[in-house]
Structures are given as structure tokens and as C-alpha cells.
Amino acid sequence: MPEISIRGLEVPESPIRKLAPLATAAKEHGTKVYHLNIGQPDLPTPQVGLDALKNIDRTILEYSPSQGILSYREKMVGYYEKYDIHVNADEIIITTGGSEAVLFAFMSCLNPGDEIIIPEPAYANYMAFAISAGAKIRTIATTIEEGFSLPKVEKFEELINPNTRAILICNPNNPTGYLYTRREMNQIRDLVKKYDLYLFSDEVYREYIYTGSPYISAMHLKDIENNVILIDSVSKRYSECGIRIGALITHNAEVRKAVMKFCQARLSPPLIGQIVAEASLDAPEDYFRNVYDEYVERRKCLIDGLNRIPGVYSPIPMGAFYTVAKLPVDDSEKFCRWCLEDFSYEGETIMMAPAAGFYTTPGAGINEVRIAYVLKKEDLERALVILRKALELYPGRIDVQR
């Protein structure tokens, strides 16, 4: 039998989805599973988007332009203006989710063997996209004890070598919920400028910032305008994960020209998804206000509840709707598996994402989990009760001093 490709062997399993078969089996045995593992909001999609879907009057569901429907891109210009991001429609390329935007950015900007510096823990699929592009990720460690803040510039410069081509950030961050400060963004800007690097900036959670600190987009940084590639998506903004609509935005015309070749090769982004996403731009302000207020309440509920459980610690996330929590366990993946395979409390259990899958450094995150607070407060409160019970009974519990 022919061998599997090296890429196929090296691409890591998703820590977010790898335990899904265990959750399915638990449900088949009658156990209710609280899904804290995946950033799938339970809040409703904007009604204007749903109405656009229900009222499609086309007689043909045709290919859209490879760069996306013009009317949608023109409407997005106004959306970005609200965040002081000044682009035109030609600088916006619509992609099949933010994932394709990351992949096409890597494929267009990186050669095989090129290196990308990424603070870790980081969104696990970046590794898969880098392997697909033949690139190598070099990680710079952040720690839960320091709230996942960026280390000093010298730590970055220790990694920079002739193969270094880019820095990638996610701001606000998935999986930590960390929000980069102006000082940190300026630090990154200076590195990008000094070494003439690309800056890939994944900013899909910009709506969810829970601090008085300003949102600093990579597109706000001066003197590196042609180095920045912005990654975006409607998945979390409008609870539209399933329509698979993202965007790649850059002032760099040569990068856009290269990206368009990949866009043409895959023909077009989803037509129906673009129709829904374009209509969703007209969602009323109270939609966003209600969603934001709900996440504020959920964040408080989860973080307060986690830090009341003996041996558990979570810093306060300042953005997105995730946190990384340290647990008093020997191995968080074993614990997460045990919760699904061998444990239930009053017929219920929880599913979390082992955080080690968000690190590339061996052994890092071994006792951490990523938790998404995308469930209503009542469900989060119940999940916290179940987590406390699970930790009391888990045979691999390790008592630690906090």
C-alpha cells in the first residue's frame, strides 16, 4: 500500500476536535456533554442574515468572483472604517473562512523552509497551515503565570535568522483571550520594520474586548503598511461559523496578486455564505451590544467559578471568549479523555480542549486546558460543578500550591 505523505503524517490533530468521537460515544450512552472545547457560539445569528438566506431569489446559484462579491467588499470598507482601518474594496479578498485566509497568506508569502515566529500557546491550526506551505513555526513562549504577556524584544531576536520571514499574532488571542498592549504592538512593529518581515495578524475577535485599553490593529501600525496581512472572519462576529466566510486584507498589491492565483485555483468563496455575511453587516447596534454584554457576564461567571475550585487557576482574559486554565492534574489530555470515557456526574460531563495542543514546545501546557465560554450562564455554572466533581475523583489529580 502506498505511504502517506510526510505532510499528512506531520500535520497535528486538532486539540479542539480530536476528542469528538469520545463525546459522541458518551452521548450515545445517554450522558449529556457540555461543550467547552470549541468556539461555537450559542447566540443567534443576526436576523437580517437569516432573512437574506430565506429570501434568496436567484434562479442559479452561480460561482462568485474569485476575490468575492464586489458589493460585499464595498460594504466591508464601511465596517473597517468604524475601527479606523482604512482600506478599499480592492484590498479585501473574500476567503472560505479565516482558515483559508491564513493558508493563502502563508502560500503567497512564504517559501518552503521559511520560518514564522508565533507566540505560544497559539491557535492549533496555524501549525497545519504552515506544514501545508512547507514553512516552519518557531514559537516564543508566554506563560500563564505572567498572564500570557509578550516577552521582551530580545527573546524575539534570539529566534530571528536568515530563514525568518514573518511574525504571526492573534489579537485578541485564541486560546488565551490575551489583548496585546500598545507597547507590545509597537515592539512587534519595530521588529517587522527592522528585519523586513511580514506580519500576519488574525483579528477575528475584535468585537470582544473587555478592558478600557484600546484595540490596536496591525493595520494601525505606521511604516509597515506593506508588511501587514490582516486575517478576518464572520464566524464569531455574527455566530456564522457554518457559512465559511473570511477575508484577507492587505495594502500590498504584490501579495494580493499572488493570493488571487490561489483564489482562482479554488474558483470562488461560498456564494450563499457571502449573501448572508453581506446582509449581516446591517445588523442593528443592539444586536452587538446584547452579544457583548452576554459575553461579559459569561466571562465573569466562568473565571470567578474556575478560580474558586481548589487547585485551579485562570488569568482574566481581556478579549475573545476563551481562557486557558491550569488544573491540578498530571496530564490534561488524559483528564479530558477520562471525563468523556469514565466519568459522569448525575448523567452529565464536560468536554474541554487540552492546551498542550496549542503549544509546539514538548511538555508545555501539559496541565492546562482551553475553555470556551460560549454556553449560557446556567450551563457554565453547571459545567463548573461538574469540573469540580471530576477533579475530586480523577485518579491523576496532583495537589499543588497556588
Side-chain angles (χ1 to χ4, degrees):
M1 186 173 72
E3 293 182 353
I4 298 298
S5 72
I6 294 174
R7 284 190 184 92
L9 294 172
E10 289 183 348
V11 168
E13 290 183 288
S14 167
I16 304 163
R17 291 176 175 263
K18 67 190 292 185
L19 303 183
L22 302 184
T24 299
K27 292 174 190 175
E28 288 174 349
H29 287 98
T31 302
K32 180 175 180 177
V33 179
Y34 290 92
H35 283 273
L36 305 172
N37 62 303
I38 192 165
Q40 170 57 66
D42 67 345
L43 298 173
T45 298
Q47 191 60 46
V48 286
L50 297 173
D51 289 345
L53 178 63
K54 295 171 184 173
N55 297 318
I56 291 174
D57 59 0
R58 281 169 159 80
T59 56
I60 300 174
L61 296 176
E62 74 275 17
Y63 288 126
S64 73
S66 294
Q67 70 271 41
I69 297 170
L70 178 59
S71 61
Y72 176 38
R73 291 184 287 118
E74 289 176 336
K75 209 167 175 181
M76 287 183 72
V77 171
Y79 163 78
Y80 289 117
E81 283 288 339
K82 296 177 184 177
Y83 291 92
D84 199 29
I85 296 172
H86 308 296
V87 294
N88 62 53
D90 290 336
E91 293 173 324
I92 301 171
I93 297 173
I94 306 305
T95 57
T96 306
S99 296
E100 188 179 76
V102 176
L103 177 61
F104 284 2
F106 286 2
M107 297 290 281
S108 300
C109 299
L110 307 173
N111 291 313
D114 281 348
E115 297 181 359
I116 318 164
I117 297 174
I118 303 179
E120 72 171 353
Y123 178 54
N125 287 341
Y126 295 147
M127 175 62 80
F129 302 139
I131 290 171
S132 299
K136 181 179 179 181
I137 284 179
R138 300 288 299 276
T139 54
I140 185 161
T142 69
T143 66
I144 194 168
E145 290 79 13
E146 295 180 347
F148 299 110
S149 60
L150 280 185
K152 295 189 184 309
V153 68
E154 291 79 13
K155 291 294 184 181
F156 280 86
E157 293 192 309
E158 288 173 8
L159 297 180
I160 294 175
N161 64 69
N163 293 325
T164 306
R165 194 67 176 268
I167 294 173
L168 185 152
I169 60 172
C170 180
N171 186 36
N173 186 268
N174 173 10
T176 65
Y178 187 76
L179 179 70
Y180 291 115
T181 64
R182 185 179 296 277
R183 179 190 63 79
E184 289 170 327
M185 291 298 287
N186 287 340
Q187 171 184 321
I188 291 168
R189 176 204 61 201
D190 293 345
L191 284 166
V192 167
K193 184 178 179 181
K194 180 178 179 180
Y195 295 99
D196 195 24
L197 306 174
Y198 285 111
L199 175 56
F200 304 122
S201 188
D202 183 343
E203 301 180 12
V204 306
Y205 298 99
R206 71 172 62 82
E207 270 75 18
Y208 309 118
I209 293 173
Y210 314 112
T211 172
S213 302
Y215 156 65
I216 309 297
S217 170
M219 299 291 271
H220 295 155
L221 303 177
K222 304 299 183 185
D223 301 326
I224 59 167
E225 287 82 359
N226 279 319
N227 301 66
V228 172
I229 292 91
L230 183 68
I231 308 300
D232 207 355
S233 168
V234 302
S235 291
K236 312 307 165 73
R237 183 178 308 141
Y238 303 123
S239 292
E240 291 176 346
C241 300
I243 67 171
R244 309 309 304 133
I245 296 297
L248 183 154
I249 301 103
T250 182
H251 295 303
N252 190 317
E254 289 302 309
V255 170
R256 295 199 307 272
K257 184 177 178 181
V259 169
M260 278 305 301
K261 295 176 184 178
F262 293 103
C263 290
Q264 290 165 0
R266 63 84 161 103
L267 302 182
S268 67
L271 171 68
I272 293 175
Q274 290 178 86
I275 292 170
V276 175
E278 181 175 345
S280 297
L281 285 165
D282 291 327
E285 281 303 311
D286 63 351
Y287 171 82
F288 296 104
R289 187 164 50 250
N290 292 338
V291 169
Y292 178 86
D293 290 346
E294 178 66 21
Y295 280 127
V296 169
E297 289 296 313
R298 292 178 180 190
R299 181 184 73 137
K300 178 174 174 49
C301 170
L302 178 68
I303 304 306
D304 287 353
L306 286 172
N307 287 314
R308 281 196 293 264
I309 299 174
V312 175
Y313 171 67
S314 170
I316 301 173
M318 293 302 175
F321 39 64
Y322 307 102
T323 195
V324 170
K326 182 182 286 189
L327 305 181
V329 298
D330 56 350
D331 184 312
S332 62
E333 180 166 336
K334 289 181 183 176
F335 175 67
C336 290
R337 287 180 175 274
W338 178 84
C339 285
L340 294 169
E341 290 182 307
D342 302 312
F343 168 80
S344 69
Y345 176 67
E346 297 179 348
E348 299 177 328
T349 193
I350 52 175
M351 182 178 184
M352 300 174 292
F358 297 90
Y359 293 84
T360 60
T361 302
I366 193 72
N367 61 346
E368 298 171 2
V369 292
R370 188 195 75 167
I371 299 175
Y373 44 98
V374 293
L375 304 180
K376 60 186 179 182
K377 273 182 63 178
E378 294 82 359
D379 287 348
L380 288 175
E381 288 167 349
R382 182 62 180 166
L384 287 163
V385 170
I386 296 167
L387 174 60
R388 180 187 286 264
K389 294 293 183 183
L391 288 170
E392 289 172 358
L393 296 174
Y394 178 58
R397 180 186 173 95
I398 297 175
D399 287 318
V400 294
Q401 296 294 321
R402 283 180 53 184

